[in-house]
Amino acid sequence: DVKVTQSSRYLVKRTGEKVFLECVQDMDHENMFWYRQDPGLGLRLIYFSYDVKMKEKGDIPEGYSVSREKKERFSLILESASTNQTSMYLCASSFGEDSGANVLTFGAGSRLTVL
Amino acid sequence: GQNIDQPTEMTATEGAIVQINCTYQTSGFNGLFWYQQHAGEAPTFLSYNVLDGLEEKGRFSSFLSRSKGYSYLLLKELQMKDSASYLCAVRDSNYQLIWGAGTKLIIKP
């Protein structure tokens, strides 16, 4: 069974803390993505990566950074957490070909609360 | 701007049929996706449409009209396990996915 695993399902952090969200996929996918999901809004893309050590900004990169040192692992970093970053964070991966029914496989999500 | 509209919430009865609509305005079009997301779980892929018409997959069907910027997901013989959110997403001319806010479907016995 193919998997995208997010290491933490629930986190509670304080304002100003540095937060790491880890995502690992076992499907040898080239592409990896970080989204945030908030009530009443569509998924919003934070960052994505098409290859190891490559990263691209999505629609809402401010306040976030990412790291992709290995193909299977994509980390989201909040350098200094703020309350408006309280959200559900979803990691996803897909094969490299950016056409056709190239579907995303999602992790179960990490719900982050910043106090 | 780019926009995907879906109803926020729908209620249907077990065994019935429900149609979830999605309208879109995007910069170009390179396919439309439907995903299902049970509460607290990962979204999972349901269907993909790139040409006009109906795609059927078991109890689920998805329809696309590119000229109208419109799609629907049709669920037949509803089961309690179909209670979930249904997400519509369009791939634009840059091959980026634009997501709707999702439709929460409540199934009643």
Side-chain angles (χ1 to χ4, degrees):
Chain A
D1 201 15
V2 295
K3 284 280 192 304
V4 176
T5 303
Q6 295 184 231
S7 56
S8 303
R9 288 300 305 272
Y10 300 95
L11 304 95
V12 179
K13 299 291 182 181
R14 298 221 173 262
T15 301
E17 281 192 79
K18 191 169 186 176
V19 182
F20 293 87
L21 300 180
E22 304 285 342
C23 175
V24 177
Q25 51 95 3
D26 64 2
M27 296 164 284
D28 201 33
H29 283 169
E30 289 81 7
N31 306 330
M32 296 190 75
F33 306 83
W34 275 106
Y35 287 94
R36 65 178 281 176
Q37 185 174 36
D38 297 293
L41 298 177
L43 296 181
R44 292 183 290 168
L45 183 62
I46 305 171
Y47 268 96
F48 59 102
S49 170
Y50 286 150
D51 201 352
V52 176
K53 297 194 183 293
M54 290 184 65
K55 59 184 179 183
E56 298 284 345
K57 292 180 179 179
D59 301 317
I60 52 164
E62 296 78 18
Y64 304 94
S65 62
V66 289
S67 173
R68 192 162 181 204
E69 296 295 318
K70 294 184 178 182
K71 188 176 185 180
E72 68 271 17
R73 187 179 297 270
F74 194 35
S75 302
L76 180 69
I77 304 153
L78 288 67
E79 294 289 343
S80 178
S82 63
T83 55
N84 62 13
Q85 292 177 311
T86 291
S87 187
M88 172 68 84
Y89 290 88
L90 291 171
C91 177
S93 68
S94 69
F95 284 113
E97 185 180 325
D98 217 1
S99 62
N102 190 12
V103 305
L104 296 176
T105 300
F106 284 89
S110 298
R111 184 168 292 283
L112 172 66
T113 301
V114 183
L115 302 176
Chain B
Q2 308 201 85
N3 195 52
I4 310 281
D5 285 317
Q6 336 176 206
T8 301
E9 187 174 295
M10 300 181 69
T11 301
T13 304
E14 190 177 15
I17 299 172
V18 71
Q19 176 175 313
I20 302 174
N21 295 327
C22 171
T23 58
Y24 63 89
Q25 293 174 310
T26 57
S27 302
F29 178 85
N30 281 298
L32 184 144
F33 296 81
W34 285 96
Y35 283 78
Q36 180 190 58
Q37 185 179 24
H38 286 101
E41 297 183 13
T44 55
F45 170 74
L46 281 179
S47 69
Y48 169 73
N49 295 72
V50 66
L51 299 176
D52 290 351
L54 189 68
E55 294 280 343
E56 297 186 79
K57 195 185 292 186
R59 294 189 298 114
F60 292 10
S61 303
S62 56
F63 171 83
L64 174 67
S65 169
R66 288 172 296 170
S67 63
K68 295 182 178 178
Y70 168 69
S71 172
Y72 67 73
L73 181 69
L74 191 72
L75 292 73
K76 303 176 185 175
E77 301 170 14
L78 286 170
Q79 302 175 10
M80 298 303 294
K81 67 179 182 179
D82 297 330
S83 292
S85 289
Y86 292 86
L87 313 180
C88 174
V90 172
R91 184 190 281 140
D92 68 11
S93 58
N94 294 320
Y95 284 87
Q96 297 303 312
L97 283 173
I98 312 302
W99 294 83
T103 299
K104 183 178 181 180
L105 178 63
I106 300 167
I107 309 296
K108 295 186 174 180

